[in-house]
Amino acid sequence: MSTSAQIRLLLAILCATFLLTAIIVKETFTPGVNLTQTGTILQNNLNAKEITVEELIHNPKEFGRLKHLADSTGEEESINIARDLTGKKRIWLFTYLNNRLSYWSGIKILPKNAARYKEGTSFIKEANGYYQVIKKTEGNFSALFFIPVKANYEFQNKYLHNTFDKDLLSDDNVTIADISDTQVYNVRSVNNSYLFSIRLKPGNINHRFYYFEIILWLLGFLTLCTLIHNICGYIARRGYVFISFGVLAVFIIGIRFVNLHYNWPDLAGFEFFNPQLYASSAIFRSLGDFCLNLLA
């Protein structure tokens, strides 16, 4: 076998491997796997914030500093807490003396009474969203830490969306589950206590998985293009120039037909292929398809 034939064989094997892997990944990624993967990411990110709070309240020296945030001696420390804990890590702190609010690191939420929250960790719903609350009390002093989990605005617009906190989850494919939901993922704290459950939202995708699948399709397509280019070059070198052009044309038309007719691969997850932005016909069904047709 000649060197050029070996190259074509290797390209064909590589192309088949990428395409077969993309198909297998798509078929094996069930809703249950989607929910578990998303829930694991959400829980790990939430637990990381919880650990930050636990390290603070279980350190006697650090917790002692919280008692003086409302004093003039703790002015610099109070500014640092607001900047680092709330501004960077998105954890809101409130301290209470004799059950009266004495310090707050932000006004996203402003609980005036600490008595309604139980000691330790809990999951609560407030007027503007869901929070994990961590409380510690020493004598007449209490500290409350609020970790935003999911927004729950009464009215939504282009600025306000009822999604999970950006530090916890970038996808919008799950929501807080109701008691009637069956397929759920239970989110737990670092000490394995139950916090809340999530369920999948219909019609939404896990972008981590989706981009992984698209990368496999793209690698397979690029390898296939290289293989076709090599074959067309081989035909042209044998003196059949017009036949090589015909093979290339059939390949381009065939690829576009498969994508348009069978929606394979499915590119609907990209906003660029949203028909609401642009659509004129079955061939130019989106702005992305318009660009792909021009490229072809």
Side-chain angles (χ1 to χ4, degrees):
M1 185 181 294
S2 64
T3 303
S4 59
Q6 291 177 346
I7 292 175
R8 287 192 291 273
L9 178 60
L10 290 174
L11 286 173
I13 294 173
L14 188 60
C15 175
T17 301
F18 283 134
L19 295 180
L20 183 61
T21 305
I23 294 172
I24 292 174
V25 168
K26 182 176 181 61
E27 293 300 322
T28 56
F29 197 81
T30 62
V33 175
N34 184 7
L35 178 61
T36 300
Q37 185 185 83
T38 304
T40 301
I41 294 172
L42 173 62
Q43 179 173 282
N44 290 342
N45 290 335
L46 186 60
N47 289 166
K49 292 194 175 190
E50 186 181 352
I51 290 173
T52 299
V53 175
E54 294 289 340
E55 291 176 348
L56 184 61
I57 63 178
H58 290 305
N59 185 324
K61 182 179 179 181
E62 293 296 328
F63 190 74
R65 291 178 178 176
L66 301 183
K67 299 178 181 180
H68 302 287
L69 292 177
D71 303 339
S72 58
T73 56
E75 182 177 349
E76 183 177 352
E77 188 68 24
S78 65
I79 295 175
N80 293 335
I81 285 284
R83 182 182 63 245
D84 298 332
L85 192 66
T86 302
K88 296 180 179 180
K89 300 177 181 178
R90 294 183 58 78
I91 301 174
W92 275 255
L93 168 65
F94 306 89
T95 64
Y96 300 82
L97 192 62
N98 294 321
N99 204 33
R100 296 185 62 181
L101 182 64
S102 58
Y103 171 81
W104 56 95
S105 64
I107 57 172
K108 183 180 181 67
I109 183 173
L110 205 60
K112 297 181 179 180
N113 192 332
R116 62 181 288 243
Y117 303 98
K118 71 175 186 178
E119 198 73 13
T121 184
S122 58
F123 180 73
I124 56 101
K125 179 183 179 181
E126 296 288 348
N128 63 348
Y130 298 87
Y131 297 84
Q132 180 181 1
V133 182
I134 302 174
K135 178 182 178 182
K136 182 176 181 180
T137 302
E138 278 190 1
N140 63 347
F141 175 80
S142 297
L144 282 177
F145 297 85
F146 278 72
I147 303 175
V149 175
K150 183 180 183 293
N152 187 40
Y153 302 112
E154 185 175 355
F155 300 101
Q156 297 186 70
N157 53 36
K158 63 179 181 179
Y159 302 107
L160 302 176
H161 303 281
N162 290 341
T163 56
F164 282 90
D165 189 76
K166 61 181 182 181
D167 286 356
L168 302 181
L169 198 63
S170 57
D171 289 323
D172 188 26
N173 61 325
V174 294
T175 187
I176 302 292
D178 297 323
I179 193 171
S180 59
D181 293 318
T182 54
Q183 190 173 18
V184 299
Y185 181 91
N186 296 328
V187 178
R188 299 182 177 274
S189 66
V190 291
N191 59 8
N192 204 35
S193 61
Y194 173 79
L195 293 175
F196 59 95
S197 298
I198 59 172
R199 63 171 175 82
L200 288 175
K201 295 172 65 175
N204 287 272
I205 62 173
N206 183 320
H207 286 89
R208 289 173 180 264
F209 152 75
Y210 186 76
Y211 292 144
F212 175 66
E213 182 191 356
I214 289 298
I215 289 173
L216 288 174
W217 278 110
L218 185 59
L219 290 174
F221 177 71
L222 291 176
T223 308
L224 180 60
C225 288
T226 305
L227 174 62
I228 296 298
H229 179 270
N230 188 283
I231 292 175
C232 290
Y234 171 76
I235 296 174
R237 286 192 297 270
R238 296 292 298 269
Y240 305 104
V241 178
F242 291 105
I243 293 179
S244 68
F245 277 115
V247 171
L248 184 60
V250 169
F251 168 71
I252 292 174
I253 295 173
I255 286 292
R256 290 304 296 139
F257 175 80
V258 169
N259 178 236
L260 291 170
H261 186 73
Y262 296 102
N263 200 31
W264 199 40
D266 185 8
L267 301 174
F270 289 103
E271 191 67 17
F272 195 51
F273 291 89
N274 187 346
Q276 293 181 344
L277 300 178
Y278 168 86
S280 63
S281 66
I283 299 177
F284 297 93
R285 61 184 184 182
S286 69
L287 184 60
D289 288 299
F290 177 82
C291 294
L292 287 179
N293 289 336
L294 290 180
L295 179 63

